[in-house]
Amino acid sequence: MAKIDSAFFDINSLEVFARQGTPIHTIDPRAKAVTTFFFIITVVSFDKYEISGLLPFLVYPVLLAVIGNIPSDYLIKKIILVAPFAFFIGILNPFFDRAPMLDLGFMTISGGWISFLSILLRFILTVSAALILIATSGFREVCLALEKLKSPRIFSIQLLFLYRYLFVLINEARRLIRARQLRSFNGRGMGLTVAGSMIGHLLVRTLNRARRIHLAMMCRGFDGEIRILRTLRFTMRDACFILGWILIFLFLRFNNLPRMMGTLFTGHFS
């Protein structure tokens, strides 16, 4: 039960972080969405064996997290939580790609391990950028920004509902688990057989509650348009934010900064 409560408050923390007033929070969500999108496109465009060229891209999520006052331990926990997806995507690479790529003297690293590490690094970069976008803007604002950027309205609405119904799912799971614990004596009814039945009940209860919520929204005048309390205003500062970061991303994409620094360092001291 404590784990469910913890997960609930952890998801809600993103909305709490989004209410801060740091300089990053005052930037228009459309500017941050465009920059994050360009960041993700740039990161995934690298060769599958690239590692050193990706490392300088850490500056974007790290800088935004520091200025936006987003706790690093919270971001690390969220990335670790979803890391198994990337792990299982790339873990077979070392078995199929055994071509030697890097000789360290005492051991040789194959291309499979390099590509596996590259997948993990891209995953960390893209997920952290997406989390920071939500934590510095709010999910509703991000959906509205996508709609203002001419993405299909149905996509923005579905994205918003998917996020909001996560809270419905967690609430219903909390109620079911609490009811099972109160009705259980000496550990009876706590086995996997009952858990399987509970998952079915959870699906039915969640669907019923989601339908009631939708009817309530319709009664209150919901017309499919996303509304927020503040008005989005795109200023010159937002344009400079986009342009500045895009120039940095392009420079890092076509210049391997760690290799340049290594060449400069070895050339200076040779």
Side-chain angles (χ1 to χ4, degrees):
M1 186 68 187
K3 291 181 179 177
I4 297 288
D5 284 339
S6 173
F8 177 75
F9 288 119
D10 251 13
I11 293 175
N12 201 34
S13 296
L14 283 174
E15 297 299 325
V16 175
F17 295 146
R19 295 173 194 156
Q20 300 181 89
T22 69
I24 294 297
H25 288 77
T26 58
I27 293 174
D28 192 289
R30 287 168 290 185
K32 285 181 279 189
V34 170
T35 309
T36 303
F37 177 75
F38 198 86
F39 173 81
I40 293 173
I41 293 295
T42 310
V43 166
V44 299
S45 69
F46 276 90
D47 182 77
K48 67 177 182 178
Y49 296 120
E50 188 62 56
I51 291 180
S52 63
L54 289 168
L55 291 176
F57 281 87
L58 285 169
V59 70
Y60 178 69
V62 169
L63 194 60
L64 262 62
V66 171
I67 298 175
N69 196 27
I70 310 300
S72 58
D73 57 339
Y74 176 82
L75 290 174
I76 293 171
K77 284 179 184 175
K78 295 297 109 183
I79 292 172
I80 292 175
L81 186 66
V82 292
F85 292 104
F87 179 83
F88 287 111
I89 287 174
I91 190 58
L92 292 179
N93 287 15
F95 297 99
F96 292 105
D97 186 358
R98 295 173 179 272
M101 289 286 293
L102 183 63
D103 188 5
L104 298 177
F106 59 94
M107 66 181 296
T108 302
I109 300 177
S110 68
W113 284 111
I114 300 289
S115 61
F116 175 56
L117 292 176
S118 181
I119 288 173
L120 291 182
L121 186 54
R122 289 165 210 252
F123 173 80
I124 292 171
L125 287 168
T126 53
V127 171
S128 60
L131 285 173
I132 290 170
L133 171 65
I134 299 171
T136 57
S137 305
F139 201 84
R140 183 185 292 268
E141 284 76 4
V142 171
C143 292
L144 179 59
L146 293 176
E147 190 176 308
K148 296 285 185 186
L149 291 169
K150 305 301 180 187
S151 71
R153 171 175 287 189
I154 188 68
F155 173 73
S156 305
I157 294 292
Q158 289 296 324
L159 204 60
L160 182 62
F161 280 2
L162 178 68
Y163 179 72
R164 299 307 303 175
Y165 284 147
L166 274 178
F167 294 88
V168 176
L169 182 67
I170 292 173
N171 269 329
E172 290 299 333
R174 291 171 66 193
R175 290 181 182 180
L176 278 175
I177 292 173
R178 186 184 295 120
R180 184 173 77 155
Q181 289 175 341
L182 291 174
R183 289 172 173 80
S184 173
F185 297 96
N186 299 323
R188 292 181 180 177
M190 301 295 286
L192 289 176
T193 309
V194 178
S197 172
M198 285 178 62
I199 293 174
H201 282 286
L202 176 63
L203 176 64
V204 173
R205 287 168 64 98
T206 306
L207 286 174
N208 284 334
R209 190 172 171 196
R211 189 178 294 114
R212 292 199 298 273
I213 291 174
H214 182 250
L215 289 174
M217 291 169 63
M218 298 293 286
C219 290
R220 289 172 171 81
F222 176 71
D223 56 0
E225 184 177 344
I226 302 174
R227 295 181 175 86
I228 60 174
L229 291 177
R230 68 187 179 107
T231 305
L232 294 186
R233 187 171 298 167
F234 195 88
T235 63
M236 184 59 70
R237 189 173 70 116
D238 303 316
C240 292
F241 179 83
I242 297 176
L243 184 62
W245 278 114
I246 285 180
L247 289 176
I248 293 173
F249 297 155
L250 289 175
F251 174 79
L252 296 177
R253 175 62 183 86
F254 296 108
N255 297 278
N256 192 317
L257 193 59
R259 191 174 299 166
M260 290 171 62
M261 293 178 65
T263 304
L264 184 66
F265 184 79
T266 54
H268 181 73
F269 289 98
S270 62

